[in-house]
Amino acid sequence: MKILFIFIALLAGQATALACPEIRLDKAGSLSSYPVFDQANASAGTDMNICYAATAAQLLDTYRASRAQQEQLQNERTSPWWLAVNYSSSYKKDENSDVQFGEPDKALETIKIDGVCSQADLFGDQPTEEIIRFHQMVKEFYQSAGKNTEEKDAVLKLETLLQSLGFIKDSTLLADISVKALKEKTFVLFLRTLFQGKCQGKVKQDPAFQIERIDTERKGTPVEEKDKIIMETLQKSQPIEVSVCSQVLRTPDYDGSKGSKPRHFAKDCMRHSMLVIGSRTQKGECQYLVRDTYGSHSCTRTRNGQPWYHPSLECDGGQVWVPKEAVLKNIWGMTRISPENSIQ
């Protein structure tokens, strides 16, 4: 009888290993050349909330890397800021709207029209703090001097601001972009004109890829089906975006699906966009490796004096190992790019 129990345990272990293979796309896979994006200036307490654009950019980059040598793409990483601005220009019509909050699949759709500009071409090697400062300064300018100053004076002030922020150095290009930007009627259109002017001649088009958005909340998708979708994507060396309750990163037993209505997620769920980029079995438990969007330093980040991630979760350079079941019950949607002839 004891031998039978051992045999059954071995079979169960093999089944778990098959269902939860060791995958690390950030090590030897398609994400090995791409760092964790940071959407916040922690020291200033500023969060730009462009996780949707960050995950969309890395979905595109890993798709492109699967079709070329990764070394050729290291200096061509898609700028999440570019995606956020074009998404906001296309889907937000309010004059007071900004680039914060959005949908990763629609951000990817804008690429087919507007193309992409690399982070290096748009912002060089500027750190997150300086990029966020740039955003805040040009927004403040647009809301005050840009709208309440004579055109000639406004152009000169904008040129001076863009030079001081190190955004554009070419005086002829600077004057041309400033005149065009000040004619725009909303801030996101103003910002888009600045970006397009800076990236003129450097925009890359790639309209061939297919985007798949899986609305698991609306469809009431079972957790088993969610897991199947995630695992088949990882096994094809591609990450998958999960629209998830980020509260699970602070409270692993949190279940955001227990809202006031069936399949209606709770208000304290803290909706967020992240990537699942790996899986492993740890002490008999299947875990997903989740790539967050708060930089490689986020393992030591705090929120209201508490750790950003629950101490029981293993954090590795801004990526967190989370029990599979905890992730699955907090997902309301997923986005992936389908490699040719591989994911139907």
Side-chain angles (χ1 to χ4, degrees), residues 36-37 249 272 274 290-294 298 308-309 318-319:
V36 177
F37 181 74
L249 300 180
H272 189 36
M274 299 184 288
V290 175
R291 173 171 285 208
D292 206 355
T293 57
Y294 286 95
S298 60
W308 188 247
Y309 305 122
Q319 302 175 155

Side-chain angles (χ1 to χ4, degrees), residues 220-283:
T221 307
V223 293
E224 297 82 7
E225 181 63 22
K226 294 178 186 178
D227 181 44
K228 179 182 177 182
I229 293 169
I230 290 171
M231 292 311 305
E232 73 173 15
T233 309
L234 291 178
Q235 288 171 341
K236 296 182 189 303
S237 297
Q238 292 294 305
I240 185 167
E241 181 272 340
V242 289
S243 300
V244 65
C245 296
S246 66
Q247 187 68 359
V248 70
L249 300 180
R250 282 159 279 282
T251 310
D253 60 355
Y254 181 82
D255 187 352
S257 65
K258 293 181 178 179
S260 58
K261 301 176 183 178
R263 299 190 299 276
H264 179 77
F265 279 70
K267 290 183 179 179
D268 65 348
C269 141
M270 298 180 67
R271 294 193 171 212
H272 189 36
S273 178
M274 299 184 288
L275 293 178
V276 175
I277 67 166
S279 62
R280 73 177 183 184
T281 301
Q282 188 82 342
K283 296 181 179 179

Side-chain angles (χ1 to χ4, degrees), residues 112-297:
K112 297 185 176 184
I113 300 171
D114 300 304
V116 294
C117 185
S118 74
Q119 184 73 350
D121 284 334
L122 190 57
F123 285 113
D125 58 357
Q126 287 191 348
T128 296
E129 292 79 6
E130 289 302 310
I131 298 173
I132 292 178
R133 178 172 173 264
F134 166 86
H135 181 92
Q136 293 171 328
M137 294 291 287
V138 295
K139 185 175 183 180
E140 182 180 324
F141 169 86
Y142 175 81
Q143 293 176 332
S144 56
K147 299 185 72 175
N148 303 309
T149 309
E150 290 293 330
E151 181 179 353
K152 184 177 180 180
D153 292 338
V155 169
L156 290 174
K157 287 183 178 181
L158 180 56
E159 289 180 27
T160 302
L161 175 62
L162 294 177
Q163 280 184 323
S164 69
L165 294 171
F167 187 63
I168 299 175
K169 297 179 180 179
D170 185 293
S171 58
T172 303
L173 179 60
L174 187 61
D176 181 58
I177 291 175
S178 298
V179 170
K180 290 179 179 177
L182 287 169
K183 293 179 180 179
E184 299 291 0
K185 295 182 179 180
T186 69
F187 172 64
V188 293
L189 291 177
F190 168 81
L191 198 55
R192 184 179 70 171
T193 299
L194 294 181
F195 281 16
Q196 289 178 335
K198 177 70 179 292
C199 289
Q200 188 174 10
K202 301 175 182 177
V203 176
K204 299 172 183 65
Q205 299 287 343
D206 192 355
F209 63 90
Q210 299 298 313
I211 305 160
E212 183 178 6
R213 176 65 182 178
I214 306 153
D215 189 342
T216 60
E217 180 181 8
R218 182 176 60 82
K219 294 181 178 180
T221 307
V223 293
E224 297 82 7
E225 181 63 22
K226 294 178 186 178
D227 181 44
K228 179 182 177 182
I229 293 169
I230 290 171
M231 292 311 305
E232 73 173 15
T233 309
L234 291 178
Q235 288 171 341
K236 296 182 189 303
S237 297
Q238 292 294 305
I240 185 167
E241 181 272 340
V242 289
S243 300
V244 65
C245 296
S246 66
Q247 187 68 359
V248 70
L249 300 180
R250 282 159 279 282
T251 310
D253 60 355
Y254 181 82
D255 187 352
S257 65
K258 293 181 178 179
S260 58
K261 301 176 183 178
R263 299 190 299 276
H264 179 77
F265 279 70
K267 290 183 179 179
D268 65 348
C269 141
M270 298 180 67
R271 294 193 171 212
H272 189 36
S273 178
M274 299 184 288
L275 293 178
V276 175
I277 67 166
S279 62
R280 73 177 183 184
T281 301
Q282 188 82 342
K283 296 181 179 179
E285 175 185 68
C286 185
Q287 299 177 343
Y288 288 145
L289 181 59
V290 175
R291 173 171 285 208
D292 206 355
T293 57
Y294 286 95
S296 59
H297 60 277

Side-chain angles (χ1 to χ4, degrees), residues 46-67:
T46 305
D47 188 341
M48 288 304 301
N49 297 305
I50 60 169
C51 56
Y52 69 98
T55 55
Q58 295 212 343
L59 284 177
L60 176 65
D61 286 343
T62 51
Y63 164 75
R64 292 172 64 215
S66 70
R67 300 162 56 200

